[in-house]
Amino acid sequence: MHELSIASAVVESVLEFVSVRPVRKVLAVRLAIGELSHIEADQLRFCYMAITEQTPIQDSALEIDRVEAVVRCEKCLYRGRPKYWEEALLVGAIPTLQCPDCGATVEVIEGNDCAIKSIRFAIEDDGLTVPAA
Amino acid sequence: MIQTIEASPDEIYDIELEHSLLEANAELAKENRALLDRHGVTAIDVMGAIGSGKTTLITRLVERLKDRLGIAVFNGDATTSTDADLIANQSVPVVQIATVNGCHLDANLVGKALRKVNLEKLRLIFIENIGNLICPAEFPLGSKARAVVVSVTEGPYMVRKHPHMFLGAQLVVVNKIDLAEAMGVSVAELAQDVHKLKPDITVIPTSCKTGDGLDDVTAALLAV
């Protein structure tokens, strides 16, 4: 939930970023969304497009990479994907905090966050002149 | 002869960052927690759906503990002070956090509430979150533990419908067990669902009406 406030935060960060660089046009913003964060990529993209409309970054694309969950078990030292709860009534598998090997509670190492990974932009045209060798 | 080479007007740069968007609230939550730890105060984030029994549970716990420990209650509610008024009858400090249109408490609001109480005199703070099983999960407040109250009257599927909420909890109270039979809801199955998500959560069946389970909840909270 709250994809709109996340989209807002993305836009704010991007605008801050371009304010101190010779940016002609922002082409794309790449995000990494963790499997265990509560953020829905489609909704986020929709919000981003809606709020960048009529702004200098309105044509920028939002690229979203999904970061898989990685957990660690203190008891048996398992490290890897979490155990998933799959059942008839569930639409899709739910990640759990149960160790796939020993059944103890695991801690999350990766997959909790939502972060901006990169910003792709075209620089201002300033026509450099370089002498030939 | 000098040749002119011009930089392409579409010189493209790809700058890498590592800018977390969830940091802001998380940082404030850490600050709240540090402040509480410095004063030896334990804050419990009490979450659950509307009508699950959060306020009644907190009231019963306050009744039992107020003569032993300094307790305060923060009550999050969008528009009313009905819950806060109920608890204020117990003569403990109550701070009403009115979110107006907000669907969850956040660390910023809790930080403001912390400035309204005398932490030197407190050992325990109950933070009653907004009645909502989705949004509060995303917003840590700086509490030492999260307690989710789920009542049998919400039906048998509440855990699987709201996994994020339960994954973030340390304690689950299954409330209104006196109505379980009438509802045809199995308390054991609800507990099983919780443990499928997170094996080491403490699950305590309670009835705030009859008092069943309240001793166990009290003990669990004091052990946090």
Side-chain angles (χ1 to χ4, degrees), chain B residues 177-208:
Chain B
I177 56 174
D178 53 302
L179 297 174
E181 206 179 313
M183 285 294 305
V185 169
S186 160
V187 175
E189 275 174 27
L190 276 172
Q192 245 171 57
D193 281 358
V194 172
H195 290 132
K196 272 191 193 139
L197 285 177
K198 199 171 172 190
D200 70 353
I201 299 187
T202 305
V203 179
I204 305 179
T206 60
S207 163
C208 287

Side-chain angles (χ1 to χ4, degrees), chain A residues 1 9 13-14 17 26 36 43-44 53 83 102-103 111 115-116 133:
Chain A
M1 236 215 103
S13 301
V14 172
F17 180 89
V26 176
L36 302 175
Q43 287 184 333
L44 181 56
E53 229 176 276
K83 179 167 179 175
C102 76
I116 300 178

Side-chain angles (χ1 to χ4, degrees), chain A residues 24 38 97 114 117 128 130, chain B residues 3 5 10 17 138 197:
Chain A
R24 187 174 63 79
H38 311 109
L97 289 180
C114 173
K117 299 301 269 189
L128 298 173
V130 179
Chain B
Q3 281 192 296
I5 298 169
D10 283 323
L17 305 162
E138 298 173 47
L197 285 177

Side-chain angles (χ1 to χ4, degrees), chain A residues 79-126:
Chain A
R79 190 196 158 97
R81 303 296 298 284
K83 179 167 179 175
Y84 289 83
W85 181 2
E86 293 177 87
E87 241 179 68
L89 282 176
L90 299 171
V91 179
I94 300 176
T96 74
L97 289 180
Q98 207 181 106
C99 177
D101 279 356
C102 76
T105 298
V106 294
E107 62 169 315
V108 178
I109 308 292
E110 255 173 61
N112 255 342
D113 200 12
C114 173
I116 300 178
K117 299 301 269 189
S118 67
I119 300 178
R120 194 155 68 247
F121 59 95
I123 57 165
E124 294 267 280
D125 172 9
D126 62 4

